[in-house]
Amino acid sequence: MPIDPESIKKVLRYRWIIFAILATAYFLGMFHRVSPGVMAKAFMDTFGIGAGEIGVLGGSYFYPYALAQIPAGVLSDIWGTRKTITVFMSIAALGALFTGIGTSWSMVIVGRVLIGFGVGFVYIPVLRSIFNWFRIGERATANGVLVSIGNIGALTAAGPLAIANELLGWHSVFYILAGLTALLCVFVYAILRNQPSEMGWPNLREIEEYEGKEEG
């Protein structure tokens, strides 16, 4: 496809919209990650459990999260970032909803497993998207910004979640998280594209070759 300065500008502008959506997904995943620690006492009071059960709840997120990493890479190549994140963040939204309606501790555990597995399909597809939308010299910076946003999410989530838990109760907090996660899936599917070529624009490899020729 023809390459001109205007099409390059469109790619360089649109990629930041995509990056903002993906960074939000990663940020929201950190909210899901820290939520059990913030609401541990509420769970203990509701279900009459102890610290051991809270530890199981933490593991029910991280083990499915770790299990998701290999298929996340495969699906990022086969399905692309858009479909992979949409499908599996929908599973995380379902897990948050299941947790919110949980009337037993086992239901909360199942919900947490779904959240961990679904969120596990975010980071690697985001890296794939960075590879597809950012130049070689920009990818490390974009990844660093992404990780920083995620860490900020983990650090700042505790306060808002604790306040929301006090005001609304843990059931409502998970309903809200489920709604936000589902809404994000809509944005991902509607706006995200795997490659600039899906928008009728040149891909990054073509842009880099064009810029190299212009500089030469």
Side-chain angles (χ1 to χ4, degrees):
M1 63 183 65
I3 300 178
D4 58 80
E6 187 59 32
S7 65
I8 293 175
K9 289 179 182 178
K10 290 178 180 178
V11 172
L12 299 183
R13 285 195 299 263
Y14 198 78
R15 66 181 181 170
W16 289 112
I17 297 174
I18 289 177
F19 184 81
I21 294 172
L22 295 176
T24 302
Y26 192 59
F27 184 92
L28 188 58
M30 289 300 184
F31 264 77
H32 283 298
R33 178 176 295 186
V34 304
S35 58
V38 175
M39 291 177 278
K41 186 177 185 304
F43 286 141
M44 290 178 177
D45 293 341
T46 301
F47 298 106
I49 58 174
E53 286 81 1
I54 295 298
V56 171
L57 184 65
S60 66
Y61 173 97
F62 286 104
Y63 285 114
Y65 184 96
L67 182 64
Q69 300 312 297
I70 293 178
V74 174
L75 290 178
S76 295
D77 291 333
I78 297 175
W79 284 0
T81 299
R82 181 191 185 200
K83 185 176 180 180
T84 301
I85 293 182
T86 299
V87 169
F88 288 97
M89 283 296 280
S90 296
I91 293 175
L94 180 63
L97 179 63
F98 201 74
T99 301
I101 64 176
T103 56
S104 67
W105 185 239
S106 59
M107 288 181 66
V108 173
I109 292 292
V110 171
R112 192 66 179 163
V113 168
L114 293 175
I115 292 172
F117 188 69
V119 171
F121 285 82
V122 172
Y123 182 63
I124 291 179
V126 171
L127 292 183
R128 181 64 180 178
S129 189
I130 289 174
F131 179 86
N132 290 342
W133 282 89
F134 287 82
R135 299 183 184 94
I136 293 175
E138 300 167 334
R139 291 167 188 164
T141 300
N143 183 49
V145 172
L146 176 73
V147 172
S148 296
I149 290 173
N151 289 336
I152 291 171
L155 291 173
T156 60
L161 281 176
I163 294 172
N165 182 47
E166 289 294 325
L167 295 176
L168 304 173
W170 67 268
H171 291 282
S172 296
V173 169
F174 278 101
Y175 293 148
I176 293 171
L177 286 174
L180 291 174
T181 306
L183 180 62
L184 182 64
C185 291
V186 173
F187 277 100
V188 169
Y189 189 79
I191 298 175
L192 191 67
R193 294 296 180 270
N194 298 315
Q195 294 272 2
S197 59
E198 295 180 8
M199 301 288 290
W201 302 328
N203 289 330
L204 261 292
R205 179 181 57 81
E206 298 169 321
I207 291 176
E208 288 174 327
E209 290 177 354
Y210 173 83
E211 291 175 336
K213 292 177 181 178
E214 288 294 304
E215 290 176 1

